[in-house]
Amino acid sequence: MPILTDSFIYLSIFSISFVSNVIPFGGPPYTIITATAILKLGDAYYWPLIVLASLGAILSKIIIYLAGKFFKKSLRKNRNIMFLSKVSDSNTFYIILFTLAVIPIFPFDDYLFIAAGAVEVSLLKAIFALVVAKLIKTALEVYIELKVILAISSLLTLAKPTIGAILTIAFIVFGIIIFKIDWEHYYNKIKGRIGRHI
């Protein structure tokens, strides 16, 4: 494939990843778009597109952080932001960020970076915690989504781009639901269970 075409593909995936990650609670999941592109272009594009998609997602978090900082007065009324502010002055926040950011499928890192800006934790430390987590998460998500798209395509005889579009809508709805959940309630529940086993 010509270099110019490859450059366009790489720039497109990076841009889609960056833009979709800048839109909290409603951006299309960049990993589904990346997975669909890999299915169309071939396995040779797997790791280059994974790295570029991850980079776009990581850089977008700076915008998310700044948005959280700009709207901190209104955001601090949110119960999940209030919960995260309680651990923002320790390394616990960065451990939570890394742990939740590495979990595939769930869009926790968007919410955590908004919270990071709202409670004004160190952006440098937050980005450092995110870099490795995002690379792992992107690779895992794309791998899972490739398998899911191929499985659904063979079962339902739907076109792969159509399945990608359906999954994108499902992920957006799922992301909004996650933001509505009371994180502190489940955090305390998990913490209590761990405490009983120590």
Side-chain angles (χ1 to χ4, degrees), residues 32 36 39-40 149 153 158-168:
I32 293 176
T36 305
L39 283 171
K40 185 174 179 62
I149 291 170
S153 178
L158 289 173
K160 295 177 183 72
T162 301
I163 297 167
I166 293 169
L167 289 174
T168 296

Side-chain angles (χ1 to χ4, degrees), residues 22-158:
V22 162
I23 306 169
F25 322 132
Y30 69 102
T31 53
I32 293 176
I33 296 167
T34 304
T36 305
I38 290 168
L39 283 171
K40 185 174 179 62
L41 299 168
D43 292 342
Y45 286 84
Y46 186 88
W47 284 111
L49 294 186
I50 290 289
V51 172
L52 284 169
S54 300
L55 182 60
I58 290 164
L59 293 177
S60 74
K61 298 312 173 203
I62 297 172
I63 308 298
I64 295 287
Y65 176 94
L66 294 174
K69 191 171 183 178
F70 185 79
F71 294 107
K72 64 182 177 182
K73 286 186 179 179
S74 56
L75 284 170
R76 282 181 175 178
K77 297 174 185 176
N78 179 276
R79 64 190 176 193
N80 292 328
I81 303 296
M82 288 190 289
F83 160 59
L84 290 170
S85 69
K86 296 175 184 177
V87 295
S88 64
D89 59 347
S90 69
N91 288 330
T92 303
F93 180 87
Y94 304 105
I95 294 169
I96 291 171
L97 172 60
F98 177 85
T99 304
L100 295 183
V102 83
I103 299 172
I105 310 303
F106 297 93
F108 289 126
D109 50 331
D110 284 353
Y111 313 127
L112 288 170
F113 262 80
I114 288 176
V119 299
E120 298 186 84
V121 302
S122 168
L123 175 59
L124 187 61
K125 287 183 180 179
I127 290 292
F128 181 77
L130 184 70
V131 169
V132 176
K134 204 66 177 176
L135 283 167
I136 295 170
K137 178 179 180 174
T138 301
L140 285 173
E141 277 192 17
V142 170
Y143 178 80
I144 292 167
E145 287 156 3
L146 284 170
K147 297 296 184 184
V148 170
I149 291 170
L150 288 170
I152 295 174
S153 178
S154 63
L155 286 172
L156 302 179
T157 62
L158 289 173

